[in-house]
Amino acid sequence: MAVYLKMPQSPSLCSEVCVPETDSVTVFQCENCRTILGDSNNLICICESLALVTMQAIQPSAVMIHEAWEKCNSSNVSLTGSSYQNVSCTRCQTEVGKVFKNLPPHLSKMSGHISLDVHKISSYEVQQPAPKKNYDEILFKMQQEFFKMQQEISKVQVVLMNLNERFVPIEDALALEAGGTD
Ligand SMILES: [Zn+2]
């Protein structure tokens, strides 16, 4: 199983695990036909004991939600009284998950959303795309650099003007001297 999720050895009551923020995104795909179903950006929670990954959104064309509601069997105590619809991969018809309703309060996050069965999917990690560059920010920085350059140039201009002011009398004096010797 190529899913990057740790599964408990024996089933227990569900514990919801919040997904840590990482630089990478986990892409989930149908294990059978490799159709991409969704990624961890849309993850609501992971239920380890049920081996389910609940998604906020999923590629709409990638899966088919069956109309019929079925009662959850009593093998897992936490699902007693809950119902589900099967969710199949559109391409290969493999059942890849379920949509639950009437879940107990501690699992209510999963209600109404597609929960993928980790045994029916595979996953791989990709690096999060670099955040879009904020061009306003870049423009602002360029303007700041430009103003800095302008300031530097004005400083140089002041120095040149000062030098000019000093040289002009000297030049005049030299001219006078030169004129005097003619
Ligand atoms: Zn498939």
Side-chain angles (χ1 to χ4, degrees):
M1 192 175 66
V3 176
Y4 295 98
L5 301 167
K6 271 199 282 174
M7 287 298 138
Q9 293 304 307
S10 57
S12 59
L13 280 179
C14 273
S15 56
E16 286 165 296
V17 179
C18 287
V19 184
E21 299 225 341
T22 59
D23 289 342
S24 62
V25 178
T26 304
V27 177
F28 304 111
Q29 51 183 189
C30 170
E31 177 134 80
N32 190 45
C33 73
R34 306 287 162 186
T35 296
I36 290 174
L37 305 171
D39 62 58
S40 57
N41 281 330
N42 295 308
L43 197 54
I44 295 174
C45 60
I46 300 167
C47 183
E48 288 195 346
S49 60
L50 294 172
L52 293 171
V53 176
T54 304
M55 309 291 289
Q56 180 75 51
I58 216 153
Q59 297 282 352
S61 58
V63 293
M64 203 183 75
I65 302 171
H66 296 237
E67 276 185 37
W69 284 95
E70 296 183 41
K71 282 250 174 278
C72 292
N73 63 37
S74 56
S75 68
N76 193 308
V77 176
S78 57
L79 293 180
T80 309
S82 307
S83 310
Y84 66 89
Q85 291 171 299
N86 273 314
V87 176
S88 304
C89 169
T90 307
R91 194 162 154 206
C92 73
Q93 310 294 307
T94 302
E95 280 179 11
V96 289
K98 290 176 168 62
V99 175
F100 290 95
K101 70 172 180 183
N102 302 329
L103 287 168
H106 72 288
L107 296 176
S108 60
K109 268 190 193 175
M110 293 164 62
S111 257
H113 297 289
I114 293 174
S115 297
L116 298 171
D117 182 339
V118 297
H119 303 296
K120 303 287 178 60
I121 57 170
S122 59
S123 66
Y124 60 91
E125 277 187 72
V126 290
Q127 285 300 307
Q128 187 95 266
K132 274 184 192 164
K133 279 182 180 156
N134 186 338
Y135 288 104
D136 283 345
E137 202 176 303
I138 293 169
L139 193 65
F140 179 70
K141 275 186 186 162
M142 279 173 69
Q143 279 176 334
Q144 276 185 322
E145 287 302 311
F146 182 70
F147 286 134
K148 260 192 232 166
M149 273 170 64
Q150 271 193 323
Q151 280 177 338
E152 290 302 314
I153 289 168
S154 352
K155 274 186 213 164
V156 172
Q157 277 178 330
V158 169
V159 170
L160 284 174
M161 278 169 68
N162 283 342
L163 281 173
N164 194 44
E165 275 170 26
R166 284 189 206 172
F167 275 123
V168 166
I170 295 167
E171 276 178 341
D172 286 347
L174 286 170
L176 280 174
E177 215 171 290
T181 53
D182 273 347

